[in-house]
Amino acid sequence: MSLLNQIRDAGIIGAGGAGFPTHVKLNTKADYIIMNGAECEPLLRVDQQLLESYPDEILRGFEMVARLVEAKDAVIGIKGKHREVIALLQKRIAELGFSDYIRVGILPDMYPAGDEQVLVYELTGRIVPETGIPIDVGCVVCNVETVLNIYKASCGKPVTEKYITLAGDIPDRMTVRVPIGTSIIDVLKLSGIENFESYAVIDGGPMMGPILTDMKGCITKKNKGFIILRRDHPLIRKKSCSIDNARRVNRAVCEQCRMCTDLCPRFLLGHNMQPHKLMRIANYMMDDHSGEAMSLLCCQCNLCEYYSCPAGLHPRLNNLAFRTKVNARGERYQSENRQYEVRAAREFRKIPSKRLTARLGLTEFDQQAPLNDRLMKTDRVRIMLGQCVGAPCEPIVSVGETVTAGQMIGRIQEGKLGAPIHASIDGKVVNITEEYIEIGGE
Ligand code: SF4
Ligand code: SF4
């Protein structure tokens, strides 16, 4: 079976959070393939830990996938501060005989170094066009855990487990390996907290992750980590702001200083993303529909909202409100067909991760979260039918049927975009709904 079909049958999707089916993304040819080991969200650890624990598997998976897309250059993007991981990778690259093909690309310790477009520019010097994706400039970007999953797929092992970092204001910080479908609350309790009444949980990194609204949910292939903070932490208060509230505050206070624009990573890449202009359109109720489409250029990195704005306003939420309106009108951003050039000041406007962590009020929680590689035990899982970009899976098992871990239980709908799902524990199918397949362990 071809590697692409192995990847498809293993149900691999982008493990970095985007959740795009990997077999579709890799069905292309590229000049560069980049492994995204930037991990620029404060407190998250999993990519470095995987590189440290499974360097050979990840390097072999990366070499396979680089050959698959016929890349001329295979680069591992990693921040220079991870000296030990870099030394390990360089040693293993040499010992595995990949030195003439795979190299380590050093990234600055800035946010958002892991944004695909920033990553592509830092490692190749190419600028992804406005509203574009890396393949538009001959680049394919893969997350570290995705590459590990590709290696496992080549050995016939589908995606049945997920690495999750637990961090924040908790007694026990750690990265755990859990079966997909495990109850989120059971995973959260590994943090040493039993009662979450006075806590809020961020699903993902502190910059881009939303507040988790349903702790009764279950782990999917897209989860990466949970940041647990007290409800009165300033970051939680900021994340809890509604679009209506944001609009009221923005209107009263925005002084048009344009710091949000001057530090915006997409603006600095030469794109026309100018959040201060969108604030002006909203605050003065200007009827500027052409300007509103600029909101489609925002990558929602939240830098303007949590770092740049000296008045603590909500330019990102303002972008989001415009994006919703523009999408509802079915409009597209009309990009000028031009050569992009990074802004002259970009080099001096990179935001150091340490300063960002301090601004978020997270410095005291920026500590080790050791990897516990023993698979968490659970006797019940709910495997969601829709875990990726595309259509939900079609169940291929029935209630009462005995299944084994790794068995395919849901397939891609005919002619649709998607990725299959697999049982993550041995057991019996006890329930099938429109949303999930539930398996009870034996
Ligand atoms: S940084 Fe804040 S105050 Fe300045 S223009 Fe942007 S939103 Fe307005
Ligand atoms: S969230 Fe703000 S800083 Fe980030 S891309 Fe959008 S406008 Fe720029």
Side-chain angles (χ1 to χ4, degrees), residues 86-146:
I86 291 169
L88 174 67
L89 287 174
Q90 279 168 337
K91 180 167 174 280
R92 295 308 300 148
I93 287 170
E95 287 171 359
L96 290 169
F98 295 150
S99 299
D100 59 343
Y101 193 36
I102 297 179
R103 65 183 170 94
V104 172
I106 304 294
L107 296 168
D109 189 12
M110 60 172 275
Y111 181 84
D115 170 63
E116 284 198 340
Q117 300 199 4
V118 173
L119 187 76
V120 165
Y121 177 71
E122 288 289 337
L123 296 176
T124 70
R126 297 183 180 186
I127 301 178
V128 178
E130 292 166 335
T131 69
I133 54 174
I135 195 61
D136 295 336
V137 289
C139 299
V140 166
V141 178
C142 289
N143 169 268
V144 173
E145 194 175 353
T146 309

Side-chain angles (χ1 to χ4, degrees), residues 111-112 260-261 263-267 273-275 278 295 297-305 308 315-317 319:
Y111 181 84
C260 48
T261 293
L263 296 180
C264 170
R266 293 293 169 95
F267 174 76
M273 181 68 244
Q274 299 188 62
L278 286 167
S295 58
L297 304 181
C298 173
C299 68
Q300 305 288 314
C301 74
N302 258 324
L303 198 63
C304 52
E305 185 126 345
S308 315
R316 199 274 306 180
L317 275 178
N319 294 348

Side-chain angles (χ1 to χ4, degrees), residues 240-384:
S240 306
C241 180
S242 68
I243 287 195
D244 280 345
N245 258 339
R247 195 176 293 132
R248 268 193 292 278
V249 186
N250 287 347
R251 192 167 292 167
V253 189
C254 179
E255 62 203 44
Q256 285 292 295
C257 69
R258 66 165 286 159
M259 283 295 282
C260 48
T261 293
D262 287 340
L263 296 180
C264 170
R266 293 293 169 95
F267 174 76
L268 291 172
L269 281 178
H271 290 189
N272 188 32
M273 181 68 244
Q274 299 188 62
H276 79 285
K277 284 192 178 169
L278 286 167
M279 290 292 266
R280 196 189 301 160
I281 294 172
N283 294 352
Y284 298 99
M285 287 173 266
M286 290 159 71
D287 198 12
D288 183 357
H289 285 342
S290 59
E292 290 177 6
M294 184 196 290
S295 58
L296 301 177
L297 304 181
C298 173
C299 68
Q300 305 288 314
C301 74
N302 258 324
L303 198 63
C304 52
E305 185 126 345
Y306 297 164
Y307 186 90
S308 315
C309 177
L313 304 186
H314 305 278
R316 199 274 306 180
L317 275 178
N318 186 52
N319 294 348
L320 190 61
F322 276 121
R323 173 184 288 222
T324 310
K325 272 170 65 182
V326 170
N327 281 337
R329 293 200 296 263
E331 278 175 30
R332 292 270 159 268
Y333 178 80
Q334 297 300 332
S335 191
E336 293 164 33
N337 194 10
R338 61 185 168 89
Q339 288 290 98
Y340 295 93
E341 265 180 48
V342 294
R343 313 271 170 191
R346 181 177 186 271
E347 213 39 48
F348 313 104
R349 292 192 184 153
K350 292 179 175 173
I351 306 304
S353 302
K354 220 173 178 171
R355 278 234 308 273
L356 176 68
T357 305
R359 185 74 67 85
L360 295 175
L362 297 175
T363 303
E364 63 179 308
F365 311 126
D366 191 12
Q367 295 173 25
Q368 295 300 315
L371 172 66
N372 178 351
D373 215 358
R374 210 163 348 114
L375 187 66
M376 181 184 166
K377 277 208 178 328
T378 181
D379 57 6
R380 192 162 285 256
V381 290
R382 280 184 179 173
I383 315 279
M384 301 305 287

Side-chain angles (χ1 to χ4, degrees), residues 53-279:
S53 302
Y54 302 103
D56 288 15
E57 290 83 349
I58 292 171
L59 288 171
R60 287 186 198 283
F62 193 42
E63 196 257 352
M64 281 181 219
V65 81
R67 305 269 182 217
L68 178 71
V69 300
E70 296 176 14
K72 293 171 199 67
D73 198 2
V75 195
I76 304 171
I78 185 166
K79 289 180 176 175
K81 68 175 178 182
H82 299 301
R83 284 188 205 92
E84 285 171 16
V85 183
I86 291 169
L88 174 67
L89 287 174
Q90 279 168 337
K91 180 167 174 280
R92 295 308 300 148
I93 287 170
E95 287 171 359
L96 290 169
F98 295 150
S99 299
D100 59 343
Y101 193 36
I102 297 179
R103 65 183 170 94
V104 172
I106 304 294
L107 296 168
D109 189 12
M110 60 172 275
Y111 181 84
D115 170 63
E116 284 198 340
Q117 300 199 4
V118 173
L119 187 76
V120 165
Y121 177 71
E122 288 289 337
L123 296 176
T124 70
R126 297 183 180 186
I127 301 178
V128 178
E130 292 166 335
T131 69
I133 54 174
I135 195 61
D136 295 336
V137 289
C139 299
V140 166
V141 178
C142 289
N143 169 268
V144 173
E145 194 175 353
T146 309
V147 175
L148 178 60
N149 285 337
I150 289 170
Y151 173 78
K152 289 179 181 172
S154 75
C155 306
K157 195 175 175 322
V159 182
T160 57
E161 55 195 43
K162 196 78 189 85
Y163 289 89
I164 305 283
T165 299
L166 295 173
D169 190 0
I170 54 175
D172 304 322
R173 298 179 186 93
M174 64 181 78
T175 299
V176 282
R177 186 158 70 98
V178 302
I180 286 168
T182 304
S183 146
I184 287 179
I185 191 72
D186 288 349
V187 177
L188 292 176
K189 283 182 178 173
L190 297 173
S191 66
I193 294 171
E194 275 297 312
N195 183 345
F196 283 84
E197 240 168 60
S198 47
Y199 290 88
V201 178
I202 299 170
D203 181 3
M207 287 300 281
M208 293 184 73
I211 291 184
L212 188 69
T213 49
D214 182 13
M215 289 195 206
K216 294 196 195 86
C218 51
I219 299 290
T220 71
K221 296 176 191 178
K222 286 202 280 186
N223 289 116
K224 201 166 166 67
F226 296 109
I227 312 293
I228 303 164
L229 296 170
R230 291 185 190 272
R231 284 194 184 280
D232 58 0
H233 189 281
L235 182 60
I236 299 300
R237 287 213 301 270
K238 190 112 190 172
K239 279 189 185 285
S240 306
C241 180
S242 68
I243 287 195
D244 280 345
N245 258 339
R247 195 176 293 132
R248 268 193 292 278
V249 186
N250 287 347
R251 192 167 292 167
V253 189
C254 179
E255 62 203 44
Q256 285 292 295
C257 69
R258 66 165 286 159
M259 283 295 282
C260 48
T261 293
D262 287 340
L263 296 180
C264 170
R266 293 293 169 95
F267 174 76
L268 291 172
L269 281 178
H271 290 189
N272 188 32
M273 181 68 244
Q274 299 188 62
H276 79 285
K277 284 192 178 169
L278 286 167
M279 290 292 266

